[in-house]
Amino acid sequence: MTRLRNLIPPLSIVGFILAVWALAVIPMNAHLTADQAQRGGMVLTPEAPADRQDVSGLMLALKNPQIIPLTYVQDRPRLPSPHQVAVELYETVFTKAPTSRRSLVYHGWVTLSATLVGFVIGTTLGILLAVGIVYNRTMDKSVMPWAITSQTIPILALAPMIIVMLGAIGIQGLLPKSIISAYLSFFPVVVGMVKGLRSPDGMQLDLLRTYNASANQGFWKLRLPASMPYLFASLKIGISAALVGAIVGELPTGARAGFGARMLVGDQYGQPLVTWAALFGAAITAALMVGLLSWLERRTLRRMGMAEAAV
């Protein structure tokens, strides 16, 4: 019963978003639909002809309600309806062979592989930097400001530079995208891990000094366990950022595979359903990875006797 109550708020938000989306389809596609209807012989209200762009799509639909159902079934709509995107997702995930270039499973694995490699690199780098920042005052004063400053560089400007520079020395494919993913994912891990390693209060640190514990013992027995809730929170942000980095890394290269490649195909060939299916495929992939990390977080903290921290 408690789990059901916990699902009500997110489901309500999702329902509201779908309702707004479905209503927005009408004015967005009204002009295109009316134009096609006129060519098919449908008579529209004279006060709102389809070729008058100064008339809003909503007004056009209200004066010609017969076109409203047609706005939801356009082959190349300006804004696809929810059911069109759902059908496209189903067909490209379940009705295509996973090895087919028309399958989102195939493209999803291409993007996910770069995401996971970059996430591992970024997480490892972030944890090492965080330990250095906490235990070394010089790194705290020098590295942390640079880490913060690095995130002010727009990734859309940085990604092509990385792709071009690595391509000039013959490095292409997975590694450049992974580096971009690592760039986006390491920062939340650094910030979260620093906060976690510094979370033990003064009384706990004094107790370790009383027991004459070494710095290594203080790290493994106190600081690292205390940082676990912060680390997992950062990892969930980092994995989503890594996925965005992998997709952004596919865009400037004109990639032939991956979620980014599907988005490019949809934009270049006027197939918005392909673009929207790729967008939702990426969102679902990110949600699954965050869900996996949440499951690992609950199991880890429960074994450590810190189940309340996972709530």
Side-chain angles (χ1 to χ4, degrees), residues 24-102:
V25 169
I26 299 173
M28 290 294 295
N29 297 334
H31 281 286
L32 177 63
T33 304
D35 182 61
Q36 293 179 355
Q38 281 186 328
R39 293 177 183 178
M42 183 181 292
V43 179
L44 301 180
T45 302
E47 291 82 2
D51 57 354
R52 281 187 56 188
Q53 295 299 318
D54 58 329
V55 177
S56 69
L58 180 59
M59 183 63 67
L60 182 61
L62 291 176
K63 290 189 175 184
N64 300 273
Q66 67 272 28
I67 70 171
I68 292 179
L70 301 178
T71 60
Y72 290 94
V73 293
Q74 290 293 312
D75 291 333
R76 296 187 177 185
R78 291 181 179 176
L79 177 63
S81 61
H83 82 275
Q84 286 180 304
V85 177
V87 170
E88 180 70 15
L89 271 173
Y90 176 82
E91 290 181 350
T92 53
V93 172
F94 297 104
T95 65
K96 308 293 183 184
T99 56
S100 170
R101 288 186 176 273
R102 296 178 59 85

Side-chain angles (χ1 to χ4, degrees), residues 129 133 140 142-153 183 186-187 190-191:
L129 285 176
I133 289 170
D140 185 18
S142 60
V143 175
M144 194 62 177
W146 281 107
I148 296 172
T149 303
S150 69
Q151 300 303 301
T152 64
I153 304 174
Y183 170 79
F186 94 95
F187 181 71
V190 170
V191 174

Side-chain angles (χ1 to χ4, degrees), residues 65-272:
Q66 67 272 28
I67 70 171
I68 292 179
L70 301 178
T71 60
Y72 290 94
V73 293
Q74 290 293 312
D75 291 333
R76 296 187 177 185
R78 291 181 179 176
L79 177 63
S81 61
H83 82 275
Q84 286 180 304
V85 177
V87 170
E88 180 70 15
L89 271 173
Y90 176 82
E91 290 181 350
T92 53
V93 172
F94 297 104
T95 65
K96 308 293 183 184
T99 56
S100 170
R101 288 186 176 273
R102 296 178 59 85
S103 171
L104 268 186
V105 176
Y106 169 79
H107 292 282
W109 171 247
V110 172
T111 300
L112 184 60
S113 59
T115 299
L116 294 177
V117 173
F119 178 66
V120 171
I121 296 173
T123 299
T124 303
L125 178 62
I127 292 175
L128 293 176
L129 285 176
V131 173
I133 289 170
V134 170
Y135 281 93
N136 189 294
R137 185 174 179 81
T138 302
M139 288 191 66
D140 185 18
K141 297 298 182 181
S142 60
V143 175
M144 194 62 177
W146 281 107
I148 296 172
T149 303
S150 69
Q151 300 303 301
T152 64
I153 304 174
I155 189 61
L156 289 176
L158 186 63
M161 296 170 59
I162 295 175
I163 298 294
V164 170
M165 287 189 298
L166 293 179
I169 59 176
I171 300 177
Q172 299 176 347
L174 180 69
L175 187 57
K177 294 189 294 182
S178 300
I179 291 176
I180 297 171
S181 294
Y183 170 79
L184 288 181
S185 62
F186 94 95
F187 181 71
V189 176
V190 170
V191 174
M193 197 64 178
V194 168
K195 179 68 175 177
L197 292 174
R198 289 175 173 170
S199 62
D201 56 37
M203 293 183 62
Q204 293 172 317
L205 295 173
D206 288 341
L207 181 61
L208 284 180
R209 296 189 190 99
T210 302
Y211 290 146
N212 198 28
S214 65
N216 285 336
Q217 289 174 322
F219 174 79
W220 293 107
K221 300 294 185 181
L222 178 59
R223 290 188 183 272
L224 185 61
S227 70
M228 285 297 104
Y230 299 88
L231 176 60
F232 276 106
S234 301
L235 291 179
K236 286 184 279 189
I237 298 173
I239 193 68
S240 301
L243 180 64
V244 172
I247 294 174
V248 170
E250 292 168 350
L251 297 178
T253 62
R256 297 182 178 180
F259 286 134
R262 294 299 288 173
M263 295 176 194
L264 287 174
V265 168
D267 290 338
Q268 292 173 353
Y269 294 96
Q271 298 177 331

